[in-house]
């Protein structure tokens, strides 16, 4: 729904499309997609219509969104049954969640799902109430001063620290439900997103801005003193926050959805990081951890930016859609699913990994 809204303003920062360049073979992509959707319908969905419901409605929303974005109609048996089940998670406070631990995340992915299925307006009231819910858990003026590093961010839904992943999900959910980029909640979120970028500029006034300064993005903004020895993966020796792939593509997509263009220094810096770390085999900076989440942020971020061909620092040109289709085809299991041997962030669950893979493929048409 949001994929090409910003192509004209942002695509120019990337290498221009090569004349005669090929798009991914529809036959291969469709074959891979069909096998994945067949797995979800055959083995992934419970009798109640949910997917991996032991972890709440989030995976259900992702699976249904993946199906709809890959051409399944809302009257498709798997989709219709799933949408009915997802409606059962709508709460009186407007949220769409399970046990309450992941309120924002679950509500946001459900909003995107309902927005995809809302051609008739059936889910408009649910979306309106859900918007009020997610903006209500955002750190705004009533909770934090605009100078506070946490201002504009949102976490999983409780009073704890916000993070870029949840804030990015909120921005996407608001745009999917037809909020404008100028929406106050999105502009507040942009302030937080900008403070999650390793960019020594006016947009990031935290102590971390200049320590790495490579244009990439990190997950959260700590408020306590960092001990780098506790995590080489996350921190540099001087206490900087390492950039990594899934967060940088989340940051790029979020900035575009918030209305930034190719001329903005934040977008330029993110693009530079991406050209320096192009990879379809690993989540840069994290390896196999969160790989399928990375594939989705990679595809959705480049699609939002209107990118066709990406030229990396070595001068090589990459048709990222072709590269991603080929890699996901290689990784697909015989039963049509995907799974990650690295179980971090629950990606060993076939329903979750398959949903992310299929959502990624929906951008490769």
């Amino acid at each position: 729904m949001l994929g090409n809204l910003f192509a004209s303003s942002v695509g120019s920062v990337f290498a221009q499309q090569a004349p005669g360049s090929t798009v991914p073979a529809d036959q291969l992509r469709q074959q891979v997609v069909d096998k994945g959707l067949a797995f979800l319908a055959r083995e992934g969905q419970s009798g109640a219509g949910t997917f991996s419901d032991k972890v709440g409605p989030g995976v259900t929303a992702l699976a249904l969104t993946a199906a709809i974005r890959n051409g399944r109609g809302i009257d498709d048996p798997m989709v219709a049954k799933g949408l009915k089940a997802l409606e059962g998670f709508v709460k009186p406070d407007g949220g769409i969640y399970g046990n309450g631990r992941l309120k924002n995340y679950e509500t946001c992915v459900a909003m995107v799902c309902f927005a995809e299925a809302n051609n008739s307006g059936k889910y408009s009231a649910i979306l309106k109430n859900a918007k009020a819910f997610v903006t209500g858990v955002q750190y705004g003026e009533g909770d934090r001063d605009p100078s506070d590093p946490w201002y504009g961010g949102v976490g999983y839904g409780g009073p704890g620290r916000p993070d870029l992943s949840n804030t990015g999900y909120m921005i996407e959910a608001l745009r999917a439900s037809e909020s404008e980029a100028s929406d106050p909640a999105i502009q507040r979120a942009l302030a937080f997103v900008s403070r999650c970028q390793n960019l020594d500029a006016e947009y990031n006034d935290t102590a971390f801005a200049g320590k790495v300064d490579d244009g990439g993005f990190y997950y959260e903004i700590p408020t306590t003193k960092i001990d780098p020895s506790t995590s080489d993966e996350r921190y540099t020796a001087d206490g900087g926050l390492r950039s990594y792939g899934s967060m940088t593509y989340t940051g790029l997509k979020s900035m575009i959805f918030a209305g930034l263009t190719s001329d903005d220094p934040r977008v330029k810096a993110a693009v530079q990081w991406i050209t320096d770390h192009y990879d379809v085999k690993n989540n840069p900076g994290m390896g196999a951890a969160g790989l399928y989440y990375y594939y989705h942020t990679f595809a959705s971020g480049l699609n939002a930016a209107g990118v066709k061909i990406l030229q990396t620092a070595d001068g090589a040109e990459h048709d990222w859609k072709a590269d991603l289709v080929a890699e996901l085809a290689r990784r697909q299991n015989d039963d049509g699913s995907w799974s990650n041997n690295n179980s971090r962030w629950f990606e060993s669950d076939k329903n979750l990994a398959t949903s992310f893979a299929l959502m990624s493929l929906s951008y490769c048409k």
Side-chain angles (χ1 to χ4, degrees):
M1 184 174 180
L2 293 170
N4 295 316
L5 289 179
F6 307 95
S8 61
S9 62
V10 179
S12 60
V13 295
F14 297 89
Q16 293 182 353
Q17 185 173 0
S21 63
T22 60
V23 296
D26 284 342
Q27 186 175 0
L28 174 61
R29 191 198 73 85
Q30 195 61 53
Q31 179 183 30
V32 171
V33 166
D34 288 345
K35 287 176 63 179
L37 290 174
F39 167 82
L40 289 179
R42 182 182 67 250
E43 299 184 40
Q45 192 170 34
S46 73
T50 55
F51 295 81
S52 302
D53 53 3
K54 64 183 179 181
V55 295
V59 180
T60 298
L62 293 172
L64 298 176
T65 301
I68 296 170
R69 286 182 174 174
N70 280 292
R72 294 292 177 91
I74 60 173
D75 55 350
D76 175 88
M78 180 182 76
V79 175
K81 191 174 184 179
L83 288 170
K84 184 176 180 180
L86 194 59
E87 284 186 76
F89 290 94
V90 175
K91 298 293 190 288
D93 61 6
I96 309 165
Y97 54 86
N99 62 18
R101 188 172 68 88
L102 307 174
K103 290 181 179 180
N104 175 70
Y105 159 71
E106 291 174 348
T107 301
C108 288
V109 295
M111 287 175 69
V112 173
C113 178
F114 283 133
E116 290 285 348
N118 198 39
N119 288 342
S120 68
K122 177 180 179 180
Y123 303 111
S124 294
I126 289 176
L127 288 167
K128 179 181 178 181
N129 293 335
K131 175 182 177 178
F133 176 81
V134 296
T135 55
V137 298
Q138 182 185 31
Y139 283 110
E141 281 87 349
D143 307 291
R144 301 267 169 166
D145 184 85
S147 64
D148 190 295
W150 283 7
Y151 173 81
V154 60
Y156 281 107
R161 59 108 180 97
D163 63 75
L164 179 56
S165 180
N166 272 288
T167 304
Y169 272 125
M170 186 195 73
I171 292 172
E172 183 169 9
L174 294 180
R175 293 308 316 268
S177 56
E178 300 185 350
S179 294
E180 297 293 334
S182 59
D183 186 290
I186 293 176
Q187 291 305 304
R188 287 193 297 268
L190 177 60
F192 178 80
V193 171
S194 298
R195 285 172 168 141
C196 290
Q197 186 175 24
N198 274 314
L199 183 63
D200 191 9
E202 61 183 293
Y203 314 101
N204 188 347
D205 53 7
T206 71
F208 309 104
K211 290 183 179 291
V212 176
D213 197 28
D214 62 2
F217 284 76
Y218 42 82
Y219 177 69
E220 62 179 317
I221 304 173
T223 58
T224 57
K225 187 175 180 178
I226 289 175
D227 177 7
S229 67
T230 61
S231 176
D232 289 337
E233 172 188 83
R234 296 181 61 201
Y235 308 129
T236 60
D238 63 352
L241 298 170
R242 297 188 189 279
S243 303
Y244 62 99
S246 51
M247 287 301 97
T248 300
Y249 285 101
T250 295
L252 174 64
K253 178 174 66 174
S254 297
M255 292 189 299
I256 294 169
F257 286 175
L260 300 191
T261 69
S262 60
D263 295 328
D264 192 283
R266 288 164 286 186
V267 174
K268 290 181 178 179
V271 168
Q272 185 61 56
W273 192 95
I274 287 168
T275 61
D276 290 340
H277 297 85
Y278 180 82
D279 198 340
V280 295
K281 296 186 180 299
N282 299 282
N283 180 0
M286 298 298 288
L291 183 61
Y292 288 92
Y293 173 74
Y294 165 70
Y295 285 144
H296 178 242
T297 64
F298 169 94
S300 58
L302 292 177
N303 183 75
V307 180
K308 306 297 183 185
I309 300 295
L310 182 66
Q311 183 174 317
T312 48
D314 60 1
E317 292 186 341
H318 299 270
D319 181 341
W320 65 266
K321 294 183 180 183
D323 291 348
L324 184 57
V325 169
E327 184 64 19
L328 287 173
R330 185 184 71 82
R331 289 179 177 273
Q332 191 171 31
N333 297 320
D334 290 341
D335 64 2
S337 71
W338 285 268
S339 56
N340 194 341
N341 290 331
N342 186 317
S343 61
R344 192 171 181 181
W345 298 311
F346 200 56
E347 283 200 353
S348 57
D349 178 78
K350 287 186 174 182
N351 289 335
L352 178 61
T354 300
S355 297
F356 277 141
L358 289 170
M359 289 175 70
S360 304
L361 289 164
S362 74
Y363 295 106
C364 297
K365 297 177 183 178

